[in-house]
Amino acid sequence: DVKVTQSSRYLVKRTGEKVFLECVQDMDHENMFWYRQDPGLGLRLIYFSYDVKMKEKGDIPEGYSVSREKKERFSLILESASTNQTSMYLCASSLYGRESTDTQYFGPGTRLTVL
Amino acid sequence: AQTVTQSQPEMSVQEAETVTLSCTYDTSESDYYLFWYKQPPSRQMILVIRQEAYKQQNATENRFSVNFQKAAKSFSLKISDSQLGDAAMYFCAYRSGLFSSGSARQLTFGSGTQLTVLP
């Protein structure tokens, strides 16, 4: 079974703090993704990576950065957390391939509250 | 840019009955994939079913089936013999079939439908 894990289920931070959200997958997937999930908005892509040290902006990258130093690990960084970044953050991974349907496998999510 | 619309924020169904969740999408592409994902309360999102746009036959997975209408850009999910464990948020998602690096691999999600199953 594909396993995608996230470092925390719940996190409470203060405005202005630097926040790290970690995601690890154990299936040697090339692609990794960070989404945020808000009621009524579904999932919106923040950043994704299709290889080590490679990253692409998603739909809402402002206020976030990412790091992928190893294939299995993809980190989301909030340089200076703000209250409007209070949300559920979901990590996902998928296998790269020309014929692949790129099924994405999700982690359990991190519910971040910024006070 | 592609958009995915789920017009039913909430739905309910009686246990053992059938329910259909609606999804429409907008795209100018001819090659793409469509997905339904399920997110149970406090649990991980999992894939329910997937449909390749080039396939005319509707996908089926046990009690889950889709009605894919390519011309109408409609992709509804039918759940038969509903069970209490089907209660979840359901998301419809789109992915381009074009092979290219970068953004072609991302999924575009709808806003979700919260399904309640009544005993």
Side-chain angles (χ1 to χ4, degrees), chain B residues 7-47:
Chain B
S7 58
Q8 307 154 315
E10 297 177 348
M11 291 278 288
S12 62
V13 62
Q14 208 72 35
E15 197 174 3
E17 297 294 309
T18 295
V19 65
T20 298
L21 308 184
S22 300
C23 174
T24 59
Y25 56 95
D26 188 24
T27 184
S28 58
E29 298 173 338
S30 58
D31 183 22
Y32 51 87
Y33 298 89
L34 295 165
F35 305 82
W36 278 99
Y37 277 88
K38 168 185 177 181
Q39 186 180 39
S42 302
R43 293 180 63 187
Q44 282 169 254
M45 182 114 61
I46 57 172
L47 178 68

Side-chain angles (χ1 to χ4, degrees), chain B residues 81-112:
Chain B
D81 185 26
S82 298
Q83 300 176 0
L84 295 177
D86 295 332
M89 180 73 85
Y90 286 82
F91 291 98
C92 178
Y94 171 103
R95 187 184 77 82
S96 171
L98 296 175
F99 180 78
S100 63
S101 63
S103 60
R105 295 199 187 90
Q106 72 177 77
L107 289 174
T108 300
F109 285 85
S111 56

Side-chain angles (χ1 to χ4, degrees), chain A residues 6-35:
Chain A
Q6 295 182 226
S7 50
S8 304
R9 290 298 303 269
Y10 300 93
L11 208 53
V12 179
K13 295 292 181 180
R14 297 213 172 269
T15 302
E17 280 193 80
K18 190 169 186 176
V19 182
F20 293 86
L21 303 182
E22 300 274 319
C23 175
V24 177
Q25 51 93 3
D26 67 355
M27 283 302 293
D28 203 34
H29 284 174
E30 289 82 2
N31 303 324
M32 295 189 76
F33 307 82
W34 275 107
Y35 297 90

Side-chain angles (χ1 to χ4, degrees), chain A residues 13-90:
Chain A
K13 295 292 181 180
R14 297 213 172 269
T15 302
E17 280 193 80
K18 190 169 186 176
V19 182
F20 293 86
L21 303 182
E22 300 274 319
C23 175
V24 177
Q25 51 93 3
D26 67 355
M27 283 302 293
D28 203 34
H29 284 174
E30 289 82 2
N31 303 324
M32 295 189 76
F33 307 82
W34 275 107
Y35 297 90
R36 66 176 280 175
Q37 180 181 1
D38 300 288
L41 297 178
L43 278 72
R44 293 178 292 166
L45 183 66
I46 305 171
Y47 267 97
F48 69 102
S49 168
Y50 52 90
D51 202 350
V52 175
K53 296 190 185 294
M54 304 300 288
K55 59 186 179 185
E56 290 277 345
K57 292 180 180 179
D59 298 320
I60 51 165
E62 295 78 19
Y64 304 95
S65 62
V66 291
S67 172
R68 193 166 182 201
E69 297 296 320
K70 294 185 178 180
K71 191 175 184 180
E72 67 271 18
R73 189 179 299 268
F74 192 35
S75 301
L76 179 70
I77 303 155
L78 287 66
E79 295 289 343
S80 177
S82 63
T83 54
N84 62 14
Q85 293 178 309
T86 291
S87 185
M88 171 71 87
Y89 290 88
L90 296 176

Side-chain angles (χ1 to χ4, degrees), chain B residues 3 28 33-34 40 54 60 64 67-69 72 77 79 85 87 98 107 115:
Chain B
T3 58
S28 58
Y33 298 89
L34 295 165
Y54 64 85
T60 299
F64 297 87
N67 183 6
F68 174 48
Q69 302 287 330
L77 175 70
I79 307 174
L98 296 175
L107 289 174
L115 178 67

